[in-house]
Amino acid sequence: MSAQRTSGTGRVSFKANDEGQTKLDRLYQQGCAKIRLPKVYGGKAAEAVLINSAGGLTGGDVVNWHATAASDTYAVLTTQACEKIYKADSDVARVGNHLSVADGARLDWLPQETILYDRAGLARSLDVHLEGSARFLAVESLLLGRIAMGEALHSLAFSDNWRIHRDGKLIHAEAQRLEGDVAHIGAADAVLSGHLALATLCYIGPEESDAMTALMESGRTLMAPFEGCSVGLSSFNGKILARLTAINGMALRAALIPLISHFRTGEPLPRVWTT
């Protein structure tokens, strides 16, 4: 008899009202995928909190999230807590994230960290479609093992594939894969230098090249004081990429929060990030 597996699909879309405020347009949730829309004070963006009510994922689980931001809206998507990926006896968990941002809109994809347990399996994807002058900010963070418990990942199957399009043209693609004895592989200086936490930040906007370069350089200056964290930023083809590795999740978050705020031009982080 096969074990029961969880599945879920969540869809949320936003529109601008007559006063130019971003409001909910449509909401759909099925299975373990839940979406909550907290009232936001002091910020311009509407907020959606994505919740996996199963409390974590393991092999064979499937979750899909869909979000759409219509013209002249500003929305931020985050998660209620860190997503835990448990040991998988067979297959992998699959998570698909599908985002659409219309001309003149902005969407920030800011899930909290994903924690990979030993023998975890996860295949994740991020599929984004931007139109015209849309702005997009994405952050994905990983914690390799339950760091506080001293867990080392001796067996792992993780993949993360990003595809970002603007007006139907592919403008960013990357694939990340961690497989095997990650504790041993990550100890190499050319890989993670023994760090157990890592993150990728990507900002894409309509700014001119000089403005993007200035935004990147100020981000580098902001990151200079942080210890226990290695940060690299680059700017090219209308986007800025930041890669971070840290000795643990606390050091990673300490650097990541001001960097996210920098690219959100002072907008407050979702409350779930700080409570």
Side-chain angles (χ1 to χ4, degrees), residues 215-273:
L215 189 61
M216 175 201 67
E217 292 293 351
S218 55
R220 285 179 174 172
T221 301
L222 182 67
M223 291 293 97
F226 287 93
E227 298 182 359
C229 187
S230 176
V231 185
L233 288 93
S234 58
S235 176
F236 56 99
N237 298 336
K239 58 191 174 185
I240 297 173
L241 278 177
R243 312 285 190 186
L244 302 86
T245 66
I247 55 176
N248 56 41
M250 291 182 63
L252 180 68
R253 183 171 279 221
L256 198 54
I257 285 177
L259 190 63
I260 293 172
S261 298
H262 174 67
F263 286 102
R264 299 191 76 216
T265 61
E267 280 288 293
L269 276 165
R271 189 179 295 269
V272 291
W273 271 74

Side-chain angles (χ1 to χ4, degrees), residues 17-225:
N17 64 13
D18 293 339
E19 289 76 38
Q21 299 171 318
T22 300
K23 298 295 183 182
L24 175 68
D25 184 18
R26 295 184 178 182
L27 175 67
Y28 171 85
Q29 48 192 15
Q30 174 269 325
C32 67
K34 310 299 181 186
I35 302 175
R36 297 295 179 263
L37 303 163
K39 191 167 184 178
V40 178
Y41 299 92
K44 299 177 182 178
E47 188 175 305
V49 178
L50 312 181
I51 302 169
N52 168 22
S53 62
L57 298 171
T58 188
D61 294 342
V62 179
V63 178
N64 284 284
W65 301 105
H66 303 258
T68 301
S71 296
D72 303 318
T73 61
Y74 184 3
V76 55
L77 277 70
T78 186
T79 55
Q80 183 186 41
C82 298
E83 184 66 276
K84 301 176 181 66
I85 311 300
Y86 298 116
K87 177 183 73 173
D89 292 326
S90 62
D91 202 359
V92 297
R94 302 182 187 278
V95 177
N97 303 308
H98 314 274
L99 312 174
S100 297
V101 191
D103 183 30
R106 172 167 180 157
L107 191 147
D108 293 345
W109 174 253
L110 304 176
Q112 297 190 67
E113 298 90 342
T114 296
I115 304 173
L116 300 175
Y117 287 36
D118 193 31
R119 294 176 61 188
L122 173 64
R124 187 173 65 192
S125 64
L126 178 65
D127 182 38
V128 183
H129 293 269
L130 311 177
E131 296 178 359
S133 62
R135 283 182 168 85
F136 178 64
L137 174 66
V139 172
E140 286 285 6
S141 309
L142 285 179
L143 303 183
L144 302 179
R146 292 168 288 183
I147 298 172
M149 298 179 64
E151 181 180 51
L153 301 189
H154 297 296
S155 178
L156 181 70
F158 169 78
S159 65
D160 195 15
N161 289 281
W162 293 23
R163 297 294 183 270
I164 303 176
H165 301 77
R166 187 185 291 280
D167 296 327
K169 179 182 178 181
L170 182 66
I171 59 171
H172 182 73
E174 66 173 80
Q176 184 181 82
R177 184 170 182 174
L178 295 170
E179 188 168 329
D181 190 344
V182 175
H184 173 72
I185 297 169
D189 290 341
V191 185
L192 294 173
S193 298
H195 285 174
L196 298 173
L198 61 152
T200 295
L201 178 149
C202 179
Y203 172 73
I204 298 175
E207 292 90 345
E208 297 293 332
S209 177
D210 289 347
M212 293 291 274
T213 299
L215 189 61
M216 175 201 67
E217 292 293 351
S218 55
R220 285 179 174 172
T221 301
L222 182 67
M223 291 293 97

